[in-house]
Amino acid sequence: MLDPAVLDAALLSRLQFAFTVSFHIVWPSLTIGLCLFLFILETLWLKTADTVYLKLYKFFVKIFALAFGMGVVTGIPLAWQFGTNFSELSRIAGSVLGPLMGVEVMTAFFLEAAFIGVMLFGWDRVSPRLHYLATFLVMLGTHNSAFWVVSANSWLHTPAGVEMIDGVMVVKDWWAVIFNPSFPYRVTHMLLASYLSATVMVAGVCAWYLIKRQHVEIARKGFSLALWLLLFLAPLQVLVGDNHGLQVLRDQPRKIAAMEGVWHTERQAPLLLFAVPDKDHERNEHEVKVPGLASLILTHHLDGEIKGLTEWPRADRPPVAPVFFSFRVMVGLGLAFIALGVTGLGLRRGGRLYQARPLLWLACLLTPAGFVATIAGWWVAEIGRQPYLIDGILRTADAVSPVPAAAVASSLAAYLVVYGLMLIAFFYYCHHLVQRGPLPLPGETPAEQHAEGEWLAVAGHASLYTPDSKGAQ
């Protein structure tokens, strides 16, 4: 039995990783989705020569740059927590996770770092086609990064391709490790979540300009493009999520039982729209349900069987309430995205897309919703895997480092303070960007160079910009 001090350290280590990864996941989600949006904008600009697409690109690439920086800074502590807080995981599975994360850094991060400068500052220094290539390569880098990170994480959910020798995992089949059973579903689900998060954010910002009657021509183009993407991406995410659910039911039935609040194995299980799980009495309170629908969705058969949580000992069950409610937050927001896209289509056909203020306000309110849904989905996946870190093999409590709880508590407090300050800084810069809005292109107004230089000064905290240095940017 573990002594109380180690148990405290285990709980604090879990809280620390949960906080830092929940904070971090916002930024790669934004950069992956926004970089695809930027690539589409630059493609449309090169194809149509419509400068509105170029203005949209130059506006949103600044938000992309801020998010990229936040993602890099907040991603590094995740890696070193494997050593500081989960050293047993590193000792046992370092031969699996180390190479996967190393490949991610060598092939994805270096690619992004090499070309992001061209994206931001290369307009007057390289040809349009070379700039387009830089955008494509950075987009490729963000997706490549997601590939390797999600592969490593998915392996923790569905480990494969290894053999335990003398207490250490030895890789026998790298193909099985990388393309483990849950990886194809999870990477597709994660990429679509990123696209949706960025798309909803773009729609919200453009809707705000339309409400305020500012930058109307640019906002119309951005809002229209975002709603077209939403109309395609949101239903596609439902289809992918449905297939992912089948995989989880097959490989991690405990997680499915927690997601659906199923305590006892049953056929024709109802879909719980709302309930309050009671783990002590192994039942739900205040259920609002649709008979048979959970079985139909999860097994594609009305009388399909879903295993209940009581099939496993209490010590092997995940925390039910956070998984249950997070899943409903994710699904509820996904349905809201579909409603936004479909309503936009209806208003577009009636010629009232840009005048329908309820739709515009709904888009504004949903601006951060994609990131909320992404975090909720991540909680479903990660909390639903508990009490295991490597599902079915290594318990989380057995993977933590033998460090004092006070040390973990101190570093957790430091993360809370530093990340809080970083978030305030990000919102400050984003508020400045949105308030200023898309800038005119060179030649449209002599004030453009001044405005561009002012943004660089704010973003870089470079208050001593000289006229010459502004021109050099």
Side-chain angles (χ1 to χ4, degrees):
M1 178 179 292
L2 298 171
D3 67 63
V6 175
L7 278 176
D8 289 341
L11 178 61
L12 289 167
S13 295
R14 288 177 59 188
L15 289 173
Q16 184 176 112
F17 197 83
F19 170 70
T20 52
V21 78
S22 297
F23 188 89
H24 170 74
I25 197 173
V26 171
W27 315 113
S29 298
L30 179 54
T31 54
I32 291 169
L34 199 51
C35 202
L36 175 65
F37 186 73
L38 293 171
F39 180 72
I40 293 172
L41 289 175
E42 195 163 5
T43 301
L44 292 172
W45 172 59
L46 290 173
K47 185 175 181 179
T48 66
D50 187 342
T51 56
V52 171
Y53 293 119
L54 183 58
K55 293 175 184 175
L56 276 168
Y57 182 104
K58 290 193 171 185
F59 172 68
F60 281 108
V61 78
K62 295 167 185 172
I63 297 177
F64 170 82
L66 290 174
F68 183 84
M70 293 285 286
V72 171
V73 172
T74 58
I76 294 172
L78 297 177
W80 76 47
Q81 283 179 70
F82 287 132
T84 57
N85 294 12
F86 297 97
S87 58
E88 274 300 292
L89 171 68
S90 300
R91 185 186 67 80
I92 295 172
S95 59
V96 180
L97 300 176
L100 293 178
M101 301 312 297
V103 171
E104 187 267 337
V105 172
M106 295 297 292
T107 63
F109 178 68
F110 285 174
L111 183 64
E112 297 167 300
F115 289 95
I116 192 172
V118 179
M119 278 184 69
L120 294 174
F121 307 115
W123 286 105
D124 299 327
R125 294 171 172 79
V126 300
S127 68
R129 291 188 180 278
L130 185 55
H131 190 278
Y132 183 55
L133 177 63
T135 302
F136 172 75
L137 291 174
V138 173
M139 181 188 69
L140 183 65
T142 61
H143 286 67
N144 190 29
S145 178
F147 178 95
W148 292 108
V149 171
V150 176
S151 175
N153 181 263
S154 298
W155 182 84
L156 296 174
H157 288 259
T158 51
V162 297
E163 182 178 341
M164 187 76 82
I165 300 177
D166 297 330
V168 176
M169 289 186 170
V170 177
V171 175
K172 294 296 183 181
D173 184 349
W174 272 110
W175 185 266
V177 169
I178 297 169
F179 294 95
N180 58 80
S182 64
F183 170 67
Y185 304 93
R186 299 187 75 239
V187 73
T188 309
H189 201 46
M190 186 67 220
L191 289 176
L192 284 172
S194 301
Y195 301 158
L196 281 168
S197 298
T199 300
V200 173
M201 186 274 292
V202 169
V205 172
C206 291
W208 176 254
Y209 287 138
L210 290 173
I211 291 172
K212 294 293 182 181
R213 301 185 186 281
Q214 298 173 350
H215 316 289
V216 172
E217 182 186 14
I218 297 170
R220 282 189 171 196
K221 193 78 78 176
F223 189 62
S224 174
L225 181 57
L227 288 197
W228 278 124
L229 289 172
L230 199 60
L231 193 63
F232 168 73
L233 292 172
L236 182 60
Q237 181 70 307
V238 173
L239 181 63
V240 171
D242 176 64
N243 282 276
H244 186 20
L246 297 177
Q247 174 268 314
V248 177
L249 180 67
R250 181 192 66 205
D251 299 323
Q252 296 177 293
R254 287 181 298 116
K255 186 190 296 184
I256 281 289
M259 290 163 59
E260 299 298 338
V262 177
W263 292 98
H264 305 283
T265 300
E266 59 182 315
R267 294 183 178 276
Q268 298 186 3
L271 178 68
L272 299 178
L273 302 178
F274 179 80
V276 179
D278 182 349
K279 67 175 183 179
D280 294 331
H281 298 92
E282 298 178 337
R283 66 186 185 196
N284 300 314
E285 303 287 349
H286 313 297
E287 288 185 346
V288 179
K289 57 188 178 184
V290 180
L293 192 54
S295 286
L296 181 62
I297 292 174
L298 288 171
T299 67
H300 292 183
H301 298 285
L302 192 58
D303 64 342
E305 180 182 279
I306 301 178
K307 285 188 176 180
L309 287 160
T310 52
E311 296 283 340
W312 293 272
R314 286 179 181 268
D316 288 346
R317 301 174 193 169
V320 179
V323 176
F324 180 85
F325 288 115
S326 296
F327 180 65
R328 274 143 190 81
V329 170
M330 179 188 70
V331 173
L333 289 174
L335 294 176
F337 301 156
I338 293 176
L340 182 63
V342 171
T343 305
L345 178 64
L347 292 170
R348 191 190 301 272
R349 289 182 173 178
R352 296 180 290 115
L353 180 62
Y354 309 115
Q355 291 79 36
R357 293 181 70 84
L359 179 76
L360 297 177
W361 277 113
L362 175 62
C364 285
L365 291 174
L366 289 176
T367 300
F371 307 110
V372 175
T374 299
I375 292 173
W378 193 261
W379 287 0
V380 171
E382 299 306 307
I383 300 175
R385 185 184 56 191
Q386 299 301 319
Y388 290 96
L389 196 49
I390 303 177
D391 203 14
I393 297 177
L394 178 65
R395 287 179 176 271
T396 304
D398 296 332
V400 298
S401 304
V403 295
V408 184
S410 300
S411 56
L412 174 58
Y415 278 123
L416 289 170
V417 173
V418 173
Y419 280 19
L421 294 174
M422 289 174 61
L423 190 62
I424 292 172
F426 177 81
F427 282 138
Y428 169 77
Y429 293 134
C430 271
H431 175 74
H432 178 84
L433 289 173
V434 174
Q435 284 293 104
R436 178 166 295 281
L439 298 174
L441 297 175
E444 291 186 341
T445 167
E448 189 276 338
Q449 286 289 337
H450 171 74
E452 183 77 6
E454 184 177 336
W455 174 80
L456 291 170
V458 172
H461 259 306
S463 59
L464 299 179
Y465 262 63
T466 64
D468 287 344
S469 66
K470 290 175 184 176
Q473 297 301 317

